Amino acid sequence: MRSSVRVKEKRAIAACAARLVESGQTLFLDAGSTTSILSERLSGLSGLTVITNSLNVASNMTEREEQRSWATGPCSLAANSIQIRQRPSVM
């Protein structure tokens, strides 16, 4: 699994990227093991808006009430919880 490969390097990248983000900014975090680690580091910033297509990132960002998170795709965020919507079946 990619989340257990080169963890030290991913944490270093996440730490560097987190220093570039300031409270009140809006950013998009794509799905990935490095962005998941980054979202853990960003959970301490207030006033941050995060748009993501990653369930892991969305989960990390819902832990703080001072942040706004928007999830794309089959999951949505409501009241600091994640809801999974089923896609309509295609015939």
Side-chain angles (χ1 to χ4, degrees), residues 21-39:
V21 180
E22 299 175 6
S23 293
Q25 288 185 317
T26 299
L27 62 145
F28 178 85
L29 292 180
D30 202 359
S33 53
T34 306
T35 53
S36 182
I37 294 170
L38 173 59
S39 68

Side-chain angles (χ1 to χ4, degrees), residues 22 26-27 31 35-36 50 59 66 69 72 74 83:
E22 299 175 6
T26 299
L27 62 145
T35 53
S36 182
V50 175
S59 177
E66 300 87 19
S69 301
T72 63
Q83 301 172 343

Side-chain angles (χ1 to χ4, degrees), residues 3-56:
S3 61
S4 61
V5 176
R6 299 190 184 268
V7 175
K8 182 179 176 182
E9 291 86 348
K10 291 176 184 187
R11 287 189 177 144
I13 292 167
C16 184
R19 288 192 293 270
L20 300 174
V21 180
E22 299 175 6
S23 293
Q25 288 185 317
T26 299
L27 62 145
F28 178 85
L29 292 180
D30 202 359
S33 53
T34 306
T35 53
S36 182
I37 294 170
L38 173 59
S39 68
E40 292 171 4
R41 289 188 157 270
L42 296 178
S43 66
L45 282 177
S46 62
L48 191 65
T49 300
V50 175
I51 302 165
T52 186
N53 61 348
S54 167
L55 190 56
N56 288 337

